[in-house]
Amino acid sequence: MPGFLARIEFAVGAILLGVITILVFVAALMRFFGHPLIWSVDLAQLLFIWLCFLGAARAMRERAHLGVDYLARKLSHRNRLILETLLTALFIGFLMLLAVEGYKLTMLNRERQFGDSGLSYAYVTIAVPVGCAMLSLSMLGNLYQSWKHLKEKRYLVFSRTSTADTLEAAAQSEV
């Protein structure tokens, strides 16, 4: 993702987190004084769902999700990339299934109200297909970058190559 869009994404995430924090703090403060603001908790939950998907897509693009790659590290860079390509296809298929079902759920929940806020519950459920699309685009971007720079052995789809892997790959290419 170009630097400008990444900065916008970061700013949106920071703003969402700030608003969530303020909403929860104000709700707790008002509850303490005997005047609870029920809608603020509902709105904080809605924003948190969107923040989770935004953060998941960013973490995917930065290859920062946790993973167990003990066996995959035993493979050569090319074979590992082939494995990660197959896994990407599997994950994107699953995400597209979730997106379709999430869209159906959104259409079913258009009239339903989200708690006491008066907002449509569709604003919550639409986060699933949008988030799945963002995650899929992040994976496709990583896949493109990985295959584009295959000879450099610098990139993988899901995991950052460690310094040791990079040094080992450089040493093998010199031999």
Side-chain angles (χ1 to χ4, degrees):
M1 177 182 275
F4 177 71
L5 291 176
R7 286 194 301 270
I8 289 174
E9 180 186 60
F10 181 80
V12 169
I15 290 168
L16 285 175
L17 187 59
V19 170
I20 291 167
T21 304
I22 290 168
L23 285 171
V24 171
F25 176 75
V26 168
L29 194 64
M30 294 304 289
R31 189 177 299 120
F32 176 77
F33 289 114
H35 301 287
L37 296 175
I38 303 300
W39 63 266
S40 65
V41 174
D42 292 340
L43 186 57
Q45 288 175 346
L46 176 123
L47 296 177
F48 185 70
I49 291 164
W50 281 92
L51 180 63
C52 287
F53 278 109
L54 184 67
R58 182 178 177 96
M60 179 60 69
R61 193 178 48 265
E62 293 180 1
R63 298 165 177 92
H65 280 285
L66 293 176
V68 179
D69 62 352
Y70 179 75
L71 294 176
R73 284 188 180 267
K74 306 280 186 206
L75 299 173
S76 69
H77 182 82
R78 183 174 182 79
N79 288 338
R80 188 169 174 186
L81 187 54
I82 290 170
L83 174 65
E84 288 194 4
T85 300
L86 295 172
L87 289 173
T88 300
L90 181 69
F91 291 151
I92 289 177
F94 177 69
L95 288 171
M96 290 302 101
L97 177 66
L98 280 178
V100 168
E101 295 302 318
Y103 178 76
K104 290 178 186 176
L105 185 63
T106 299
M107 292 297 106
L108 288 173
N109 285 304
R110 287 183 300 184
E111 302 300 321
R112 180 178 168 198
Q113 277 195 354
F114 183 56
D116 293 330
S117 65
L119 293 172
S120 171
Y121 199 73
Y123 290 119
V124 175
T125 55
I126 196 70
V128 174
V130 171
C132 289
M134 290 184 340
L135 279 165
S136 296
L137 289 173
S138 294
M139 277 192 248
L140 288 172
N142 287 356
L143 183 66
Y144 173 76
Q145 185 181 40
S146 299
W147 282 103
K148 182 179 176 185
H149 300 284
L150 176 64
K151 292 184 183 196
E152 299 168 24
K153 299 182 180 181
R154 285 181 33 198
Y155 299 104
L156 291 167
V157 179
F158 297 110
S159 55
R160 297 177 180 164
T161 53
S162 68
T163 307
D165 290 343
T166 306
L167 292 175
E168 181 181 320
Q172 287 177 355
S173 65
E174 291 177 7
V175 174

